[in-house]
């Protein structure tokens, strides 16, 4: 994984596989003291996320309380730190000061191994670019994060198949990413994020590269994840279409 320099969103991690695995703190963000929390301390299926943090070079101070069962939109001008906030929430970056808590347990200063485990098991990422491995079948890309989290392929296949069918992608399972459209690729990325049934879903401009029909499908899935499954959903976007479909706005 390339080093993360500064706190610019463009320099933050971009590939999905890196997001499930290890990460390094940004040079501008110093590590917090190690904590004694482990995955079992935050093992409940739903998660409330609280942030009281500052990250040098982007946002000075934020302290939103992100509730389970609600959809949130991170809003702000270009360069305000929306993407960086997602990487802090997803434990990919350590804030310069402050902390991130998950179900009341401070986790942003935990060891790399603990944070990697939490990301793999409790956080789903959807990037603006689908970040599908061009050399592999799309089904394998959908399965990858849940396999990394320790689940067996045989146990995952029924749910993966159901998600692909829900989003009209069942016939694309054996295809390579170059054989699907941009809208289909983004829906595949959504399947990948939902497969592991994460407590927290973080999406960076998920509607930026798709038409309104596909954007509506993506946002409907986020709404269902929040309202029906009780997950915490945070979407960083400039798209006003998203504003009509969230419960709360975090302004940077």
């Amino acid at each position: 994984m390339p080093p993360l320099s500064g706190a610019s969103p463009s320099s933050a991690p971009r590939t999905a596989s890196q997001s499930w695995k290890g990460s390094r703190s940004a040079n501008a963000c110093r590590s917090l003291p190690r904590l004694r929390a482990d995955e079992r301390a935050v093992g409940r299926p739903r998660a409330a996320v609280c942030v009281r943090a500052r990250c040098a070079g982007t946002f000075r101070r934020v302290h939103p309380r992100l509730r389970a069962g609600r959809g949130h939109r991170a809003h702000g001008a270009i360069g305000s730190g929306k993407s960086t906030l997602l990487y802090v929430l997803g434990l990919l970056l350590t804030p310069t000061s402050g902390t991130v808590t998950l179900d009341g347990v401070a986790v942003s200063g935990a060891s790399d191994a603990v944070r990697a485990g939490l990301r793999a098991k409790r956080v789903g990422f959807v990037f603006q670019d689908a970040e599908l491995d061009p050399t592999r079948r799309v089904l394998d890309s959908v399965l990858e994060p849940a396999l990394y989290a320790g689940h067996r392929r045989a146990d995952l296949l029924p749910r993966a198949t159901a998600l692909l069918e829900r989003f009209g992608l069942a016939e694309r399972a054996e295809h390579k990413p170059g054989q699907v459209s941009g809208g289909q690729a983004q829906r595949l990325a959504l399947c990948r994020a939902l497969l592991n049934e994460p407590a927290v879903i973080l999406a960076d401009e998920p509607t930026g590269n798709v038409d309104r029909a596909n954007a509506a499908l993506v946002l409907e899935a986020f709404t269902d994840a929040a309202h029906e499954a009780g997950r915490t959903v945070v979407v960083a976007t400039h798209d006003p279409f998203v504003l009509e479909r969230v419960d709360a706005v975090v302004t940077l």
Side-chain angles (χ1 to χ4, degrees), residues 3-39:
L4 306 179
S5 57
S8 168
S10 63
S11 66
R14 292 296 302 163
T15 67
S17 60
Q18 290 166 349
S19 301
W20 309 315
K21 301 174 184 178
S23 71
R24 303 173 187 172
S25 298
N27 293 339
C29 298
R30 67 173 183 271
S31 296
L32 296 175
R34 287 192 176 187
L35 304 177
R36 294 183 179 178
D38 60 19
E39 297 171 20

Side-chain angles (χ1 to χ4, degrees), residues 3-252:
L4 306 179
S5 57
S8 168
S10 63
S11 66
R14 292 296 302 163
T15 67
S17 60
Q18 290 166 349
S19 301
W20 309 315
K21 301 174 184 178
S23 71
R24 303 173 187 172
S25 298
N27 293 339
C29 298
R30 67 173 183 271
S31 296
L32 296 175
R34 287 192 176 187
L35 304 177
R36 294 183 179 178
D38 60 19
E39 297 171 20
R40 291 169 297 186
V42 286
R44 295 189 293 275
R46 297 186 181 187
V49 184
C50 184
V51 185
R52 301 187 70 88
R54 179 176 72 88
C55 205
T58 53
F59 50 81
R60 293 185 177 182
R61 180 180 297 177
V62 294
H63 46 83
R65 184 179 296 276
L66 308 171
R67 299 179 181 178
R70 302 187 73 185
H72 308 77
R73 176 193 181 194
H75 173 72
I78 295 174
S80 61
K82 297 184 298 298
S83 295
T84 302
L85 176 62
L86 291 189
Y87 299 134
V88 169
L89 291 171
L91 306 179
L92 285 163
L93 295 178
T94 302
T96 306
S97 63
T99 190
V100 177
T101 62
L102 184 64
D103 283 340
V105 177
V107 292
S108 54
S111 68
D112 286 346
V114 169
R115 288 189 296 157
L118 289 170
R119 282 196 303 274
K121 296 179 180 179
R122 307 216 69 202
V123 183
F125 293 91
V126 181
F127 298 104
Q128 182 174 359
D129 297 319
E131 304 290 358
L132 301 174
D133 186 338
T135 67
R136 306 174 64 191
R137 300 177 308 164
V138 296
L139 175 60
D140 294 325
S141 291
V142 169
L143 292 171
E144 184 180 1
L147 292 172
Y148 181 76
H151 296 287
R152 296 193 311 163
R153 183 183 180 88
D155 295 333
L156 294 170
L157 281 173
R159 176 165 169 76
T161 300
L163 284 169
L164 292 172
E165 289 178 350
R166 174 184 176 183
F167 294 107
L169 298 165
E171 295 181 357
R172 298 291 184 177
E174 301 299 319
H175 289 199
K176 297 288 183 65
Q179 298 173 305
V180 301
S181 68
Q184 289 171 334
Q186 193 67 333
R187 281 181 277 152
L188 286 165
L190 181 59
C191 293
R192 180 178 59 198
L194 295 174
L195 179 62
N196 204 30
E197 299 185 297
V200 180
I201 298 172
L202 305 173
D204 193 2
E205 296 286 1
T207 61
N209 292 334
V210 298
D211 59 25
R212 277 291 173 257
N214 279 297
L217 284 173
V218 170
L219 295 175
E220 180 183 3
F222 289 151
T223 300
D224 290 347
H227 295 170
E228 297 182 13
R231 310 191 192 290
T232 303
V233 178
V234 187
V235 180
T237 183
H238 291 98
D239 190 348
F241 188 60
V242 178
L243 184 59
E244 306 169 2
R245 293 162 173 78
V246 295
D247 305 301
V249 176
V250 178
T251 301
L252 297 174

